[in-house]
Amino acid sequence: MEDVKGRTAFITGGARGIGLGIGRAFARAGMKLAIADIDPDSLAAAKSELAKLTAVETFNLDVRDREAYARVADEAEARLGPVSILCNNAGVAAATRLTYEFWDWMLGINLNGVINGIQTFLPRMLERGGGGHIVNTASGAGLAAEGSGLMYNTSKFAVVGMSESLRRDLEPKQIGVTVLCPGPVGTNIVGNSRITQPAARNAEEAKTWEAITEQVTAVLARGVAPDKVGEMVLAAVKENRLYVHTDRVMEKYIKARTKALLDALPPAK
C-alpha cells in the first residue's frame, strides 16, 4: 500500500509506547488516526500532540470488550471515514503466576484483543473493497521461547501464526498483513500492564513484581526508540512486508529453533 495519505488508521494501545510511535509515523505520512487506549490521561496527551499533524480521534477501549469494540469502530468511521489500516497493538507483559486468572488476562489482551480487532474491522474492509492492511504486534518472543515467560510466549506465538495464516488468506483480497516482532523497545509496557493485571496475593509477591518491573523496564530503556519502530511499521505497510524485526536480538534463538525443527524431521527417503 504505497499510497497511504488520507487513509484512516485505527491503532489500539495507541496512546503510549510503540502504538504512539506508530501514530506519529502515520500522522507524518498524512493518515487520519483513530487512537484507542485504556488510559484516559495518555489518550488526552496523544490527541493534543497528534492533532497538530492530522485529524485524530481518541477512544477509551478495553480490547477484550467486543461490544465496546464494535461501538468504537462505528464512532471512529463516522468521524474519520472507513478504516483501511488496522494496528492491533495493545498488549501486556508482566510477571505472572500459573492460574486461570492470569491466563485469561494475558490471552484476553494479547491474543483475543487481536482477534477482536480483526473480527471487528476485517469484514468491513472486505465488504468495501479497495484494499487495506493489518498490523499485528507480536514479539520476538513469538518466534522462539527465549525466556519471556510461558504465558507471554504463548500469546505471542499465537499472534505470529495467526498473522502468517491471515496474510495467505487475504492476499487475493489486496489486504496486506504485517506482524511486528520487536525486541527491546524503550517503553513502560511492564509498568503500564499493572493497570489491568490481577492483584498480588500478598505484600511479598507485590514486592517481587515491583523488582521485576524495575529490572525489565531498565533493559527496555536501552532498546530501540518507539518512534523508530513506528517508522519501521510505516515502511512495512507501504512495502507490504510480513515481518518487522526491530533488531537482531532474536537471531541466535531463531536459528536454534529452526535447526531443532529441521533436525527432528524423519530422514529423507
Side-chain angles (χ1 to χ4, degrees):
M1 183 184 288
E2 295 182 2
D3 186 13
V4 298
K5 187 174 182 179
R7 288 185 177 262
T8 299
F10 188 96
I11 308 171
T12 65
R16 298 168 288 178
I18 290 175
L20 183 56
I22 293 171
R24 288 169 176 155
F26 283 10
R28 290 191 293 267
M31 296 189 214
K32 296 176 287 185
L33 301 178
I35 302 295
D37 203 286
I38 201 168
D39 183 62
D41 292 339
S42 296
L43 281 170
K47 184 170 185 177
S48 177
E49 174 190 342
L50 296 171
K52 298 172 184 176
L53 301 174
T54 189
V56 56
E57 297 287 347
T58 56
F59 304 91
N60 190 282
L61 175 66
D62 184 332
V63 294
R64 295 171 291 183
D65 188 334
R66 292 173 177 171
E67 291 184 1
Y69 214 134
R71 183 176 64 255
V72 165
D74 288 341
E75 293 176 5
E77 294 196 323
R79 299 179 195 176
L80 296 169
V83 169
S84 57
I85 300 172
L86 168 64
C87 296
N88 292 306
N89 173 74
V92 290
T96 59
R97 75 178 83 91
L98 201 60
T99 64
Y100 282 121
E101 184 180 28
F102 268 92
W103 278 113
D104 290 343
W105 173 70
M106 182 73 73
L107 296 181
I109 297 171
N110 287 0
L111 177 56
N112 289 341
V114 177
I115 293 170
N116 292 343
I118 291 168
Q119 200 61 48
T120 299
F121 280 108
L122 180 56
R124 301 172 188 230
M125 293 182 184
L126 292 172
E127 183 178 357
R128 284 191 295 257
H133 204 96
I134 296 171
V135 179
N136 296 326
T137 298
S139 169
L143 301 169
E146 76 340 323
S148 292
L150 170 63
M151 295 181 186
Y152 188 76
N153 282 117
T154 299
S155 67
K156 296 304 184 177
F157 262 77
V159 172
V160 171
M162 182 198 314
S163 301
E164 292 173 343
S165 181
L166 190 65
R167 181 179 174 91
R168 180 195 61 202
D169 292 347
L170 293 181
E171 190 172 8
K173 306 294 185 181
Q174 286 73 57
I175 297 176
V177 176
T178 292
V179 59
L180 171 61
C181 299
V185 178
T187 74
N188 188 35
I189 184 172
V190 181
N192 292 337
S193 297
R194 298 183 72 176
I195 296 173
T196 57
Q197 182 181 359
R201 288 178 296 192
N202 50 52
E204 182 179 355
E205 186 172 68
K207 185 176 180 179
T208 299
W209 289 356
E210 187 64 38
I212 292 172
T213 297
E214 291 180 3
Q215 292 168 7
V216 175
T217 301
V219 171
L220 296 181
R222 299 192 293 270
V224 179
D227 284 7
K228 186 173 182 180
V229 179
E231 292 294 342
M232 293 177 184
V233 171
L234 174 61
V237 171
K238 288 183 173 182
E239 298 165 15
N240 193 25
R241 288 191 275 118
L242 174 55
Y243 302 107
V244 175
H245 300 279
T246 59
D247 52 45
R248 301 188 70 88
V249 167
M250 292 300 298
E251 181 177 11
K252 66 179 180 180
Y253 302 106
I254 294 171
K255 285 181 176 179
R257 179 171 185 263
T258 301
K259 182 179 185 301
L261 286 168
L262 294 174
D263 289 348
L265 291 173
K269 296 181 179 179

